[in-house]
Amino acid sequence: MSGNVRLLDDTLAAAKAEGRAALIAYLPAGFPTVDGGIAAVKAALDGGADVVEVGLPHSDPVLDGPVIQTADDVALRGGLKIADVMRTVREAHAATGKPILVMTYWNPIDRYGVERFTAELAEAGGAGCILPDLPVQESALWREHADKHGLATVFVVAPSSKDERLAEITAAGSGFVYAASLMGVTGTRESVGAQAEDLVRRTRATTDTPVCVGLGVSNAAQAAEVAGFADGVIVGSAFVKRMLDAPDAAAGVEGVRALAADLAKGVRGQA
C-alpha cells in the first residue's frame, strides 16, 4: 500500500496555482479523547485547512510549548497508543480526502519499528511525517522506508540554520520544508517577525520544495502576513487552545472549525 505523498504535493501545488499559501493545521491525536481528536481533525479540514499534521503525543517534547504539552498530557494519561494515531489518520483522510501527516519525535518510531510504522502509516492513507528531532545525517533508514511506502519526509529548519546546513536538509526532505519562524517552542505570539521571511528566502535558494512556516501564527492577520512570503502557513497552538478553553468537547470542535475558516480567509488575503 502506497502513502499519499503525491496528494500532499498536488494539494500544495493547487494552492500555489490559486495564488495563495496552503493552510496546514496541527492537532494532537487523542485529545481530548481519540474520538474527540478525530472530530477535531475533521473539523479543521472541513473548516478550510488544506492539510493536517496529527501530533503523536510524547512525554518529553523539545519543540512543543505549554499549550500543546497540556493536550499531550491529557492524551497520554488517556492511554493513547500509536494504533490510535493511525486510526486518527485513517478516519480523517477517509472522511475528507485531504492529506494527513504525522508529526512525531523519533523515539516512538524507533521503538515501534521503522518498517512497521511506515507501512501502517501508508496503509492508513497518511501522506508522510514531520520529524523535528531526527538529524538528517541519521535519517537514511527512515527515508528508505518512507520512500518505499510513498511517504513524505518533512524536516524542520530554523533561523539559526546556516545556508550550507539548509541545503543539506532540503536535499534530503520531501513534501515541504517546515520553517520554524523563530528560535523557541510552539505557542501563539504577538508577531511572527522578519526572521521567518529571511529564513524562507534562504531556504528557497536551496530547493524548489514548498516552504511552510510554523510557530507563532494564531489569527487571520498573521496568517495573511506569512502567506505573503511562504508557501504554507502552519497553525497548531491556536487550534489546541480553542479546545482547551471550550466549555465542552463539542464546543471545542466548533471552535476549531471556526478558526480554520478564519485562517483560510487569511491565507487567501481576505482577512
Side-chain angles (χ1 to χ4, degrees), residues 28-29 33 35 66 68 76 84 90 112 120 127 155 160 214 224 240 249 270:
T33 62
D35 287 342
I68 291 173
L76 291 169
D84 299 317
R90 179 181 295 106
Y112 197 72
E120 290 183 6
F155 289 114
S160 60
V240 178
Q270 299 166 0

Side-chain angles (χ1 to χ4, degrees), residues 29-38 74:
F31 173 73
T33 62
V34 175
D35 287 342
I38 292 169
V74 171

Side-chain angles (χ1 to χ4, degrees), residues 29-30 32-34 57 72-85:
T33 62
V34 175
D72 281 2
D73 286 344
V74 171
L76 291 169
R77 285 201 304 271
L80 182 88
K81 302 286 191 290
I82 286 180
D84 299 317
V85 178

Side-chain angles (χ1 to χ4, degrees), residues 54-269:
V54 171
L56 196 165
H58 189 50
S59 58
D60 189 26
V62 294
L63 188 69
D64 300 316
V67 170
I68 291 173
Q69 282 187 36
T70 299
D72 281 2
D73 286 344
V74 171
L76 291 169
R77 285 201 304 271
L80 182 88
K81 302 286 191 290
I82 286 180
D84 299 317
V85 178
M86 298 299 179
R87 182 185 152 214
T88 301
V89 172
R90 179 181 295 106
E91 295 192 15
H93 173 64
T96 65
K98 292 186 177 182
I100 316 289
L101 300 105
V102 170
M103 185 166 187
T104 178
Y105 298 100
W106 179 245
N107 188 50
I109 295 178
D110 193 38
R111 292 184 62 184
Y112 197 72
V114 177
E115 169 59 25
R116 180 184 178 195
F117 189 95
T118 52
E120 290 183 6
L121 182 56
E123 187 276 328
C129 253
I130 300 156
L131 301 159
D133 67 339
L134 178 63
V136 170
Q137 62 270 26
E138 297 174 21
S139 67
L141 178 66
W142 164 266
R143 287 186 285 129
E144 175 190 338
H145 288 289
D147 290 348
K148 182 171 80 171
H149 290 291
L151 299 169
T153 298
V154 178
F155 289 114
V156 178
V157 298
S160 60
S161 302
K162 301 288 190 286
D163 291 351
E164 184 179 336
R165 178 69 173 158
L166 288 175
E168 183 183 5
I169 293 170
T170 58
S174 56
F176 62 90
V177 181
Y178 187 125
S181 65
L182 39 77
M183 302 303 293
V185 297
T186 59
T188 61
R189 289 177 171 79
E190 293 302 313
S191 64
V192 179
Q195 273 190 318
E197 187 166 2
D198 179 64
L199 177 58
V200 170
R201 178 189 59 75
R202 292 194 298 118
T203 304
R204 278 189 174 149
T206 71
T207 183
D208 292 328
T209 303
V211 183
C212 304
V213 171
L215 273 66
V217 179
S218 61
N219 57 50
Q222 290 174 335
E225 176 193 352
V226 173
F229 59 81
D231 299 298
V233 180
I234 303 168
V235 181
S237 294
F239 281 113
V240 178
K241 194 169 188 305
R242 287 285 179 109
M243 296 177 71
L244 285 169
D245 291 348
D248 55 55
V253 168
E254 287 313 306
V256 166
R257 192 188 315 275
L259 178 59
D262 194 38
L263 293 165
K265 291 178 181 176
V267 299
R268 288 168 171 80

